[in-house]
Structure formats: structure tokens, C-alpha cells
Amino acid sequence: MSESLRVAAVDLNGQLRGKRVPKNQSGKQMRMPLSVLNIDVFGADIEHSPLVFDSGDQDGVMVPAGRDLIPLPWVAGAAELDLRVMHKEDGAPFEGDPRIALSNVLDRYARHGWQVIAACELEFFLLEDGGNLVPPVNPKTGRRLTGTEILSLRELDGFDLFFNDITNGAKLMGLGDLTITTEAGVGQFEVTMTHGPALHIADHVILLKELIKGTARNHGMAATFMAKPFSQESGNGLHTHFSVINQAGENIFCNQTMLQSAVAGCLEAFEASTLLFAPYTNSFERFVAGAHAPTAATWGYENRTVALRIPSGPAAARRIEHRVAGGDANPYLLFAAIFGAALEGIERKAVPPAPIEGNAYEHPAHLPGLLPDLSAAIEGLEAPLLKQFMPPLILENLAATKSQERDLFNKLSDHDALMALIDAA
């Protein structure tokens, strides 16, 4: 059996970029151009990027991310992943690496003696393989899926062999136990992850998406996390739950003042963070009132129509559920935006508006909303508040990347644009 190793870092679009090398090269120093973490979703350099010709397209050093080698069970042979981050030649972390952007935010929490604990819910669609944007055939019935089956055990059982490979693969990869449900769209499912330290959970989102996509191909299907593959179906979300633990193991959100200040910080950064929640033109099609995709800076207790929900339960488990991002978001950038904004709110003792009761889609008109489209979201990266917790290089590179992608997608037909995102998102 052939053994191989993938050495990779994650780019701004949440794609693994790296090399396939012999297994015996594990632990060896690896190099890769810094510009590779700042390429568009089609895999091309960003035109006029200072990381390319202006700087001679310099290499960076791929530094181990502090994780064990990760098995890749959908890949033929004994394949493993060595996850790394990018450093510059002088040894300094490369501030264009999204994983480092999140690490920097989490370091700020650590200076308070705090640790962010997170968990995610990822929604995705299974599709027929072969380039057709249609639901798959149920392996047990032999019939194509045609209708909504919310929380259907029977539909889950139809895809049991596929989901067995997903749950077994997740355990092998160290991703923890998974909870899987059917969702509101035809062929749509949701995977809920076990909670854990935020940086590892962001890693797990990347790895779980790769596992689901690769396993789907092995089962003659395709899987996509793009925000809105079907105009008449629900979109795919990436909901983030988080709490903050102090050195005594206590949840600081037991303190209502701390909790509400974190909420206030997230609400204040809501508009400016739009691109971190919705990175593609397609992402904005998910934000439809009444479709469980929040459109305004709202919060409330046990209310799934708001952007920031405080679930019920014991005080020790109190957390914030951030319900805005699409399944196409980069988890490192998403987490950095959410947790950075929350910490800004806590440190300033910010006070949120009153919580929403009832239907938040009927919110007062004065509440801020998401920016309306990709162009506005790119401009939103200029907001001074974001620069309090996001590296300037990340914001500059992200703006250049998304501007180039916007222009390229504008040249494609709607069908071709959707097909381009099926695998990428």
C-alpha cells in the first residue's frame, strides 16, 4: 500500500494549499510561496498583489501547526495531512495566514486568562455527481430525492453507508463525535460537531468539509457547502456556538454583564464583518427574510430568528450562537471576526440594545443590517473597528482576492458560476 503525506496550510478561501510528499519527509522543513495563501477561488494569483512579482514571489516557511499527522480516510492508500502555518524567512508569523489571524485573537483572550470554547453546525447539500446541480438518488430506494424531509430518520437511513464512513472517518481524524440530521432543503443535511478549543474547532471545520466532500465522491455523489446552490431551497449555514472559560474552568458568560457586552461587541461589528460571513456573490442570496438566515444585528434568548441567539440551559453551559455565516465562510476568519468583536465589547463594557422577542425579521428599521452585496462588503473591510482585531494584511489581501473573484464571476453565466462554487465552497 502506497503511503503519502500532504503538507498544507489554509488560504483565505479556506482551501488547503500545499504539497504531496513521501511519508518519510514528515517533520522536515517545507517552503511555499507566501502568495499561495492569497489566491482566488479558481486557484490563480491575485493580479497586482505585492506578494507576487513586486516582491519576487518570495517563499515562506511552512511551520507545523502543533497537531499530530491527520489521517485522510477517503484518499487511496495510507495518506495523512501535516497541517502547517506560514512564517516569513525571518521566523515571524506571516500575517496573511488566516489561521494566524485567529491565533492572534485567541492570544488576546489568553492575556486575560481566558480560553474560547467553540462548536459548529455545518449544513451541506448532497448532489448527483458528474456536474449536475440536482439532488442525489437515495441509495436504498433507488429514487431521486424530491421533497423536504426535516429531521427524517428514514432519509438518514437511506444514506447510512455514506454517513457511517463520515462518522468513522471523523473519529479516525480526531474530529470527535458528530450529530447528523436532515435539513429543510432537498438533499440537505447538517453536521454538529463536539465543542472544544476554538483554534482546533476551526481546524476541524476545514477537515470535516474535506472529509464530507471526499467521501461523497467515493459514494458517487458530490457535496457542497456553498451558501445558496438552489434558489428555491434553504441555504447552507455555518452556525458558531462559543463560550469563554477562565483559569478556574468557569464560564464567564454566567455573568450576564460579560455575556451582554460580548453580544454588544458582535452587534457593533455586524455590518463591517459582512464579507467574513458572506465571501462570494452567491453568499448574499441566502439572506432572505424568513429563511433562518439573519439579516439584521439582532439578539435574543432562545430565538432562532435573531442573529445572535442565547440558547436555554444551565448557566454553566451559557453560550452565544452566532447564526449569520454561510457554509462557504472561512472558519479562521469567521472565528477571528466573531471572537475579536466579542472581546472588544467585553473590554469596553459595551451594552447591547434590548433583546428581540418574537419574529426578528420584523425588526425595527433603524437596526443595522448586513451590507447588501459583495462590492459593499469589500468596502466594509475599511471599517476602523475591524482593524482593532484583524491584521491589516489579511484585510488588504482579502479585499484584493474578493474584487478579482467578483469580476471573474460577473463574466460567467449563472449556471457556470454555481458549478464553479460547488467544489470550492
Side-chain angles (χ1 to χ4, degrees):
M1 179 181 292
S2 175
E3 293 186 344
S4 63
L5 183 69
R6 277 73 170 154
V7 180
V10 180
D11 72 10
L12 290 183
N13 279 312
Q15 305 294 314
L16 289 166
R17 301 287 177 184
K19 307 175 182 183
R20 185 186 194 273
V21 302
K23 182 70 175 293
N24 62 15
Q25 292 193 23
S26 173
K28 290 187 177 181
Q29 186 185 91
M30 299 279 177
R31 303 171 73 84
M32 187 168 69
L34 294 171
S35 60
V36 170
L37 297 195
N38 179 208
I39 58 180
D40 68 27
V41 73
F42 300 97
D45 281 333
I46 303 304
E47 293 185 14
H48 311 301
S49 168
L51 295 176
V52 189
F53 297 129
D54 289 353
S55 61
D57 206 7
Q58 296 176 0
D59 273 351
V61 179
M62 303 176 76
V63 175
R67 300 194 61 130
D68 293 336
L69 296 182
I70 302 162
L72 304 177
W74 67 93
V75 178
E80 293 180 305
L81 173 69
D82 183 352
L83 185 65
R84 301 201 179 190
V85 293
M86 291 292 285
H87 283 217
K88 294 184 289 187
E89 187 67 37
D90 63 5
F94 174 51
E95 289 199 336
D97 185 320
R99 194 177 192 272
I100 288 173
L102 174 57
S103 294
N104 290 344
V105 169
L106 298 176
D107 285 346
R108 285 184 56 187
Y109 279 89
R111 289 195 286 272
H112 288 274
W114 299 338
Q115 181 184 33
V116 181
I117 302 297
C120 284
E121 303 166 11
L122 295 86
E123 294 173 333
F124 67 96
F125 280 90
L126 284 176
L127 306 170
E128 178 183 80
D129 201 0
N132 296 316
L133 195 64
V134 296
V137 170
N138 184 313
K140 286 194 175 177
T141 67
R143 296 190 296 272
R144 191 175 306 283
L145 301 183
T146 58
T148 296
E149 288 283 0
I150 298 174
L151 293 174
S152 169
L153 291 182
R154 186 174 297 167
E155 184 161 300
L156 283 175
D157 290 345
F159 293 86
D160 202 43
L161 294 178
F162 167 71
F163 285 116
N164 283 344
D165 283 351
I166 296 297
T167 54
N168 292 336
K171 289 179 181 178
L172 186 66
M173 296 171 72
L175 307 184
D177 294 326
L178 305 176
T179 299
I180 302 171
T181 62
T182 60
E183 269 294 337
V186 179
Q188 187 183 35
F189 301 88
E190 180 182 85
V191 177
T192 301
M193 306 166 67
T194 306
H195 67 272
L199 187 60
H200 275 199
I201 296 301
D203 292 342
H204 290 180
V205 172
I206 297 289
L207 297 168
L208 184 57
K209 290 172 76 170
E210 293 294 321
L211 170 65
I212 290 172
K213 286 173 174 290
T215 305
R217 294 293 188 194
N218 289 347
H219 282 260
M221 299 180 290
T224 185
F225 295 82
M226 66 186 297
K228 192 75 169 178
F230 301 103
S231 60
Q232 302 304 315
E233 300 285 351
S234 296
N236 287 324
L238 172 52
H239 296 176
T240 299
H241 296 248
F242 73 102
S243 57
V244 179
I245 306 301
N246 64 21
Q247 290 176 318
E250 301 162 336
N251 183 356
I252 71 168
F253 287 167
C254 290
N255 181 317
Q256 281 288 337
T257 300
M258 289 275 206
L259 172 72
Q260 294 194 12
S261 290
V263 167
C266 290
L267 296 179
E268 289 171 7
F270 187 83
E271 182 179 84
S273 302
T274 299
L275 191 67
L276 291 312
F277 309 146
Y280 304 101
T281 299
N282 173 265
S283 308
F284 291 82
E285 297 182 17
R286 174 174 160 267
F287 298 116
V288 178
H292 294 287
T295 55
T298 55
W299 76 286
Y301 293 92
E302 199 50 69
N303 187 338
R304 284 187 169 85
T305 69
V306 297
L308 275 72
R309 167 179 171 253
I310 313 302
S312 59
R318 188 166 293 141
R319 63 193 187 276
I320 296 171
E321 180 190 8
H322 202 290
R323 298 174 53 81
V324 183
D328 51 2
N330 181 325
Y332 301 115
L333 298 180
L334 173 64
F335 282 15
I338 294 173
F339 306 153
L343 186 57
E344 287 287 321
I346 292 171
E347 289 178 341
R348 292 187 291 101
K349 297 181 172 57
V351 178
I356 295 288
E357 297 182 4
N359 187 355
Y361 294 110
E362 299 173 353
H363 63 84
H366 68 272
L367 290 179
L370 294 170
L371 294 168
D373 54 38
L374 186 61
S375 293
I378 293 169
E379 293 179 7
L381 296 180
E382 294 293 329
L385 178 57
L386 282 187
K387 298 175 183 179
Q388 298 297 314
F389 48 83
M390 297 293 288
L393 185 60
I394 283 278
L395 299 176
E396 293 166 12
N397 290 350
L398 192 60
T401 301
K402 295 303 161 183
S403 295
Q404 179 163 304
E405 290 174 353
R406 175 199 59 203
D407 296 343
L408 290 170
F409 275 112
N410 284 343
K411 297 175 183 177
L412 299 177
S413 67
D414 289 345
H415 177 268
D416 287 346
L418 287 173
M419 297 309 296
L421 277 179
I422 285 178
D423 286 327

